[in-house]
Amino acid sequence: MKSDNHNLPDKNGFFGEYGGKFVPETLMYALEELETTYKNLKDNIEFKDQFYKDLSEFVGRPSPLYFAKRLTKHYGSGSIWLKREDLNHTGAHKINNTIGQILLAKYMGKKRIIAETGAGQHGVATATVAARLGLECHIYMGSEDVQRQSLNVYRIKLLGAQVHAVDSGSATLKDALNEALRDWVTNVDDTYYIIGSVTGPHPYPMIVRDFNSVVGEELITQSKELFNAMPDAIVACVGGGSNAMGAFYPFIKFNETRLIGVEAGGEGIETGEHAAPLNDGAPGVLHGSLSYLMQDNSGQVKGTKSVSAGLDYPGVGPEHSWLKDSGRAEYVAVSDDAALKAFHEVSEMEGIIPALETAHAFAYLDTLMKEFDINSNIIVNVSGRGDKDINTVADIDGIKI
Ligand SMILES: *Cc1c(COP(=O)(O)O)cnc(C)c1O
């Protein structure tokens, strides 16, 4: 059952036609230095031991694979299992990647850390690992998001990092990314840029995937232990695509497991008001890589709409574009309304308040569970906890807190 195509990217950083390094010449050397360092370290025993030790001692891994009894009963078909990334330190999967990349920074002797953030989760995860190692840290965040996510802004500051509000463009994640890239071009000698998803120029999509793959690796072991089979499907939400890629990647070669990515359908795909490039986009270049992208007829990046700040991004990691075209993974979208309904249902039925991003994955169970029988096992990747979203949901529900 081996798929022979899971050794991507190729030496130029492409997954089929997607990926690459579309960056200014000044960054080419930095990207090559990063790639060489990573290739030398990734199978180094000492490096790997340190990575897994940090994940265990500081993050609390492995995260449980947990049987969702009431959700399973509710749908009355297959067993639903939850991969509890929400239980990680800082409350989401993002710390898996920042723990790995800060180790790379340390091996490379970089003293200054920069990162972009949208909802603030990657900013928090980066500021956390920088504090732990005593490194200077700068977080770029769109000024619109600084307003919307004031709690995370303050968390980042408490952790000793500096927040830079970005006013250009739509003043959201894509503009923060532009600004972080600009900083990197200027300060490339002493600065390490921790990208937060499987996006950006090669080698980032590969590096972020590999560090998050600890999730899928644990799932292989846990599935054997808990139901003695490979799962029939793994469902994960897709913004840039790192939590999904981490869960999917070790399973690409097991064709019996369906891999399902759920994008943010916003007001509905048909309205154009969404953040679902794999469902309603076309190949184009954004932030250094070629991938499906929401763009207008002249190739300009289109505005996005989603109730979930972490999914509100017009692009997606190039490996997902490859998985879509090859048919190995399926990509669907659910609306804001459906995600909000799932947010409430999962909270009430399982005692777990999921992130609004994660609620998109849960919402797709309404469709998916009809396709499975009682003997099947479905895993939902619970990418993060919902505490950060409580104000947003209360506002929508018209409740003052
Ligand atoms: C950032 C975030 C996402 C979206 O990012 P991906 O790279 O697509 O995983 C999803 N869920 C949570 C909880 C997040 O913080």
PDB file of all heavy atoms in Angstrom, residues 92-94 121 197 237-243 310-311 355 357-358 383-384 388, ligand 1:
ATOM      1  N   ALA A  92      -2.590  24.784  21.427  1.00  0.00           N
ATOM      2  CA  ALA A  92      -2.814  24.411  20.028  1.00  0.00           C
ATOM      3  C   ALA A  92      -1.610  23.616  19.507  1.00  0.00           C
ATOM      4  O   ALA A  92      -0.616  23.424  20.224  1.00  0.00           O
ATOM      5  CB  ALA A  92      -3.029  25.668  19.174  1.00  0.00           C
ATOM      6  N   HIS A  93      -1.726  23.185  18.256  1.00  0.00           N
ATOM      7  CA  HIS A  93      -0.642  22.399  17.637  1.00  0.00           C
ATOM      8  C   HIS A  93       0.579  23.254  17.318  1.00  0.00           C
ATOM      9  O   HIS A  93       1.646  22.730  17.068  1.00  0.00           O
ATOM     10  CB  HIS A  93      -1.157  21.774  16.339  1.00  0.00           C
ATOM     11  CG  HIS A  93      -1.430  22.799  15.277  1.00  0.00           C
ATOM     12  ND1 HIS A  93      -2.534  23.632  15.318  1.00  0.00           N
ATOM     13  CD2 HIS A  93      -0.722  23.166  14.190  1.00  0.00           C
ATOM     14  CE1 HIS A  93      -2.486  24.449  14.280  1.00  0.00           C
ATOM     15  NE2 HIS A  93      -1.408  24.190  13.581  1.00  0.00           N
ATOM     16  N   LYS A  94       0.442  24.579  17.291  1.00  0.00           N
ATOM     17  CA  LYS A  94       1.496  25.436  16.748  1.00  0.00           C
ATOM     18  C   LYS A  94       2.825  25.310  17.484  1.00  0.00           C
ATOM     19  O   LYS A  94       3.881  25.532  16.912  1.00  0.00           O
ATOM     20  CB  LYS A  94       1.039  26.894  16.754  1.00  0.00           C
ATOM     21  CG  LYS A  94      -0.100  27.133  15.767  1.00  0.00           C
ATOM     22  CD  LYS A  94       0.005  28.464  15.099  1.00  0.00           C
ATOM     23  CE  LYS A  94      -0.923  28.532  13.906  1.00  0.00           C
ATOM     24  NZ  LYS A  94      -2.358  28.560  14.327  1.00  0.00           N
ATOM     25  N   GLN A 121      -1.997  33.085  17.771  1.00  0.00           N
ATOM     26  CA  GLN A 121      -1.597  31.792  18.330  1.00  0.00           C
ATOM     27  C   GLN A 121      -0.136  31.465  18.009  1.00  0.00           C
ATOM     28  O   GLN A 121       0.598  30.986  18.859  1.00  0.00           O
ATOM     29  CB  GLN A 121      -2.502  30.668  17.801  1.00  0.00           C
ATOM     30  CG  GLN A 121      -3.926  30.748  18.306  1.00  0.00           C
ATOM     31  CD  GLN A 121      -3.996  30.662  19.816  1.00  0.00           C
ATOM     32  OE1 GLN A 121      -4.164  31.667  20.498  1.00  0.00           O
ATOM     33  NE2 GLN A 121      -3.860  29.467  20.349  1.00  0.00           N
ATOM     34  N   SER A 197       3.197  28.226   9.437  1.00  0.00           N
ATOM     35  CA  SER A 197       2.396  27.165   8.816  1.00  0.00           C
ATOM     36  C   SER A 197       3.214  26.528   7.687  1.00  0.00           C
ATOM     37  O   SER A 197       4.367  26.911   7.462  1.00  0.00           O
ATOM     38  CB  SER A 197       1.063  27.718   8.302  1.00  0.00           C
ATOM     39  OG  SER A 197       0.209  26.638   7.942  1.00  0.00           O
ATOM     40  N   CYS A 237      -8.992  20.862  10.001  1.00  0.00           N
ATOM     41  CA  CYS A 237      -9.233  22.152   9.365  1.00  0.00           C
ATOM     42  C   CYS A 237      -7.963  22.608   8.641  1.00  0.00           C
ATOM     43  O   CYS A 237      -6.856  22.199   8.995  1.00  0.00           O
ATOM     44  CB  CYS A 237      -9.682  23.192  10.394  1.00  0.00           C
ATOM     45  SG  CYS A 237      -8.453  23.586  11.646  1.00  0.00           S
ATOM     46  N   VAL A 238      -8.154  23.437   7.617  1.00  0.00           N
ATOM     47  CA  VAL A 238      -7.016  23.913   6.821  1.00  0.00           C
ATOM     48  C   VAL A 238      -7.041  25.435   6.700  1.00  0.00           C
ATOM     49  O   VAL A 238      -7.964  26.011   6.104  1.00  0.00           O
ATOM     50  CB  VAL A 238      -7.036  23.308   5.395  1.00  0.00           C
ATOM     51  CG1 VAL A 238      -5.900  23.884   4.547  1.00  0.00           C
ATOM     52  CG2 VAL A 238      -6.924  21.791   5.453  1.00  0.00           C
ATOM     53  N   GLY A 239      -6.039  26.091   7.312  1.00  0.00           N
ATOM     54  CA  GLY A 239      -5.811  27.514   7.086  1.00  0.00           C
ATOM     55  C   GLY A 239      -4.632  27.578   6.135  1.00  0.00           C
ATOM     56  O   GLY A 239      -4.754  27.469   4.922  1.00  0.00           O
ATOM     57  N   GLY A 240      -3.417  27.713   6.713  1.00  0.00           N
ATOM     58  CA  GLY A 240      -2.209  27.500   5.912  1.00  0.00           C
ATOM     59  C   GLY A 240      -1.995  26.016   5.694  1.00  0.00           C
ATOM     60  O   GLY A 240      -1.423  25.586   4.703  1.00  0.00           O
ATOM     61  N   GLY A 241      -2.465  25.226   6.660  1.00  0.00           N
ATOM     62  CA  GLY A 241      -2.465  23.774   6.485  1.00  0.00           C
ATOM     63  C   GLY A 241      -1.521  22.982   7.371  1.00  0.00           C
ATOM     64  O   GLY A 241      -1.288  21.807   7.115  1.00  0.00           O
ATOM     65  N   SER A 242      -0.991  23.590   8.468  1.00  0.00           N
ATOM     66  CA  SER A 242       0.025  22.848   9.224  1.00  0.00           C
ATOM     67  C   SER A 242      -0.541  21.766  10.134  1.00  0.00           C
ATOM     68  O   SER A 242       0.059  20.696  10.255  1.00  0.00           O
ATOM     69  CB  SER A 242       0.908  23.804  10.031  1.00  0.00           C
ATOM     70  OG  SER A 242       0.179  24.489  11.022  1.00  0.00           O
ATOM     71  N   ASN A 243      -1.690  22.013  10.777  1.00  0.00           N
ATOM     72  CA  ASN A 243      -2.204  20.937  11.639  1.00  0.00           C
ATOM     73  C   ASN A 243      -2.669  19.761  10.779  1.00  0.00           C
ATOM     74  O   ASN A 243      -2.450  18.594  11.120  1.00  0.00           O
ATOM     75  CB  ASN A 243      -3.268  21.459  12.621  1.00  0.00           C
ATOM     76  CG  ASN A 243      -4.688  21.477  12.066  1.00  0.00           C
ATOM     77  OD1 ASN A 243      -5.401  20.478  12.119  1.00  0.00           O
ATOM     78  ND2 ASN A 243      -5.107  22.606  11.495  1.00  0.00           N
ATOM     79  N   GLY A 310      -7.780  32.265  12.498  1.00  0.00           N
ATOM     80  CA  GLY A 310      -6.692  31.357  12.131  1.00  0.00           C
ATOM     81  C   GLY A 310      -6.851  30.727  10.754  1.00  0.00           C
ATOM     82  O   GLY A 310      -5.912  30.138  10.223  1.00  0.00           O
ATOM     83  N   LEU A 311      -8.050  30.805  10.179  1.00  0.00           N
ATOM     84  CA  LEU A 311      -8.270  30.252   8.829  1.00  0.00           C
ATOM     85  C   LEU A 311      -8.382  31.357   7.783  1.00  0.00           C
ATOM     86  O   LEU A 311      -8.545  31.083   6.596  1.00  0.00           O
ATOM     87  CB  LEU A 311      -9.546  29.391   8.794  1.00  0.00           C
ATOM     88  CG  LEU A 311      -9.617  28.209   9.753  1.00  0.00           C
ATOM     89  CD1 LEU A 311     -10.912  27.418   9.524  1.00  0.00           C
ATOM     90  CD2 LEU A 311      -8.427  27.269   9.622  1.00  0.00           C
ATOM     91  N   ALA A 355     -11.369  25.355  19.391  1.00  0.00           N
ATOM     92  CA  ALA A 355     -11.084  26.601  18.673  1.00  0.00           C
ATOM     93  C   ALA A 355     -12.085  26.727  17.524  1.00  0.00           C
ATOM     94  O   ALA A 355     -12.579  25.720  17.004  1.00  0.00           O
ATOM     95  CB  ALA A 355      -9.661  26.571  18.119  1.00  0.00           C
ATOM     96  N   GLU A 357     -11.408  27.464  14.567  1.00  0.00           N
ATOM     97  CA  GLU A 357     -10.784  26.770  13.430  1.00  0.00           C
ATOM     98  C   GLU A 357     -11.189  25.302  13.458  1.00  0.00           C
ATOM     99  O   GLU A 357     -11.722  24.752  12.489  1.00  0.00           O
ATOM    100  CB  GLU A 357      -9.248  26.888  13.507  1.00  0.00           C
ATOM    101  CG  GLU A 357      -8.700  28.303  13.312  1.00  0.00           C
ATOM    102  CD  GLU A 357      -8.680  29.127  14.592  1.00  0.00           C
ATOM    103  OE1 GLU A 357      -9.068  28.599  15.653  1.00  0.00           O
ATOM    104  OE2 GLU A 357      -8.288  30.304  14.537  1.00  0.00           O
ATOM    105  N   THR A 358     -10.933  24.674  14.603  1.00  0.00           N
ATOM    106  CA  THR A 358     -11.239  23.254  14.780  1.00  0.00           C
ATOM    107  C   THR A 358     -12.726  22.970  14.569  1.00  0.00           C
ATOM    108  O   THR A 358     -13.099  21.904  14.062  1.00  0.00           O
ATOM    109  CB  THR A 358     -10.853  22.807  16.206  1.00  0.00           C
ATOM    110  OG1 THR A 358      -9.552  23.295  16.511  1.00  0.00           O
ATOM    111  CG2 THR A 358     -10.874  21.300  16.323  1.00  0.00           C
ATOM    112  N   SER A 383      -7.260  20.852  16.659  1.00  0.00           N
ATOM    113  CA  SER A 383      -6.043  21.659  16.518  1.00  0.00           C
ATOM    114  C   SER A 383      -5.813  22.599  17.694  1.00  0.00           C
ATOM    115  O   SER A 383      -4.673  22.931  18.012  1.00  0.00           O
ATOM    116  CB  SER A 383      -6.088  22.449  15.210  1.00  0.00           C
ATOM    117  OG  SER A 383      -7.254  23.243  15.133  1.00  0.00           O
ATOM    118  N   GLY A 384      -6.884  23.042  18.370  1.00  0.00           N
ATOM    119  CA  GLY A 384      -6.665  23.946  19.496  1.00  0.00           C
ATOM    120  C   GLY A 384      -7.915  24.143  20.335  1.00  0.00           C
ATOM    121  O   GLY A 384      -9.021  23.770  19.949  1.00  0.00           O
ATOM    122  N   LYS A 388      -9.644  31.353  23.383  1.00  0.00           N
ATOM    123  CA  LYS A 388      -9.320  32.584  22.658  1.00  0.00           C
ATOM    124  C   LYS A 388     -10.520  33.107  21.854  1.00  0.00           C
ATOM    125  O   LYS A 388     -10.531  34.273  21.468  1.00  0.00           O
ATOM    126  CB  LYS A 388      -8.144  32.335  21.709  1.00  0.00           C
ATOM    127  CG  LYS A 388      -8.520  31.406  20.555  1.00  0.00           C
ATOM    128  CD  LYS A 388      -7.349  31.064  19.653  1.00  0.00           C
ATOM    129  CE  LYS A 388      -7.730  30.082  18.564  1.00  0.00           C
ATOM    130  NZ  LYS A 388      -8.813  30.497  17.667  1.00  0.00           N
TER     131      LYS A 388
HETATM  132  C1  LIG B   1      -3.434  28.663  13.469  1.00  0.00           C
HETATM  133  C2  LIG B   1      -4.462  27.669  13.754  1.00  0.00           C
HETATM  134  C3  LIG B   1      -5.059  26.904  12.719  1.00  0.00           C
HETATM  135  C4  LIG B   1      -4.782  27.140  11.266  1.00  0.00           C
HETATM  136  O1  LIG B   1      -3.478  26.907  10.875  1.00  0.00           O
HETATM  137  P1  LIG B   1      -3.021  25.626  10.074  1.00  0.00           P
HETATM  138  O2  LIG B   1      -1.634  25.946   9.665  1.00  0.00           O
HETATM  139  O3  LIG B   1      -3.945  25.432   8.937  1.00  0.00           O
HETATM  140  O4  LIG B   1      -3.083  24.481  11.016  1.00  0.00           O
HETATM  141  C5  LIG B   1      -5.984  25.937  13.069  1.00  0.00           C
HETATM  142  N1  LIG B   1      -6.335  25.718  14.356  1.00  0.00           N
HETATM  143  C6  LIG B   1      -5.788  26.418  15.360  1.00  0.00           C
HETATM  144  C7  LIG B   1      -6.233  26.141  16.757  1.00  0.00           C
HETATM  145  C8  LIG B   1      -4.837  27.413  15.103  1.00  0.00           C
HETATM  146  O5  LIG B   1      -4.315  28.106  16.115  1.00  0.00           O
END
